[in-house]
Amino acid sequence: MSNSRDFSFFIRWSVQSSEFEITNTSVTVSGFAEVVDQWGLPVSGYDNHQYEIILRETSFHWRSRTVELTTGQFRETIELPSTGNYKIEIVNKDYLPSNYSLSGNGSVSW
């Protein structure tokens, strides 16, 4: 894999990246996520907290690909419908108390 796009997030609900070009239909998404408190410290009891990473083609939103994940390390290979311009969207899918957030980082490589 010769190209990559790094990302990081600290969210309660969702976040979306700026647009970037992917020049291969096979990509690998990898990284780490955890639930943290208002000071950024890891919180126990959220080992299976659910969230998703969406690779959304900007010209054709219905061509998006979604990876369902739980907190911890992740590495997934995704087959995209085409090369082109994409955005990364991270969406929290589980309840979090008001002083907790989902925090993580990773990369998309192709």
Side-chain angles (χ1 to χ4, degrees):
M1 306 236 167
S2 59
N3 294 305
S4 68
R5 174 73 172 218
D6 294 333
F7 59 89
S8 61
F9 54 94
F10 188 89
I11 63 169
R12 294 250 329 120
W13 308 112
S14 66
V15 67
Q16 190 175 86
S17 75
S18 58
E19 186 176 290
F20 61 99
E21 184 179 9
I22 294 180
T23 57
N24 194 329
T25 57
S26 181
V27 300
T28 300
V29 180
S30 58
F32 177 80
E34 63 186 344
V35 174
V36 298
D37 64 17
Q38 66 268 29
W39 297 285
L41 300 172
V43 178
S44 63
Y46 289 89
D47 295 339
N48 293 312
H49 186 83
Q50 296 180 349
Y51 67 103
E52 61 188 16
I53 294 178
I54 304 166
L55 285 173
R56 190 175 308 281
E57 188 172 3
T58 55
S59 296
F60 303 98
H61 291 281
W62 63 89
R63 290 187 181 173
S64 65
R65 293 295 184 257
T66 301
V67 180
E68 302 282 337
L69 298 166
T70 58
T71 47
Q73 292 286 131
F74 63 88
R75 182 177 179 86
E76 299 282 337
T77 300
I78 303 170
E79 296 301 322
L80 300 173
S82 66
T83 62
N85 292 324
Y86 283 81
K87 291 182 179 185
I88 300 167
E89 185 175 358
I90 293 120
V91 179
N92 180 26
K93 297 198 54 160
D94 270 351
Y95 169 79
L96 286 174
S98 62
N99 57 337
Y100 289 179
S101 297
L102 182 65
S103 178
N105 60 67
S107 67
V108 177
S109 304
W110 63 94

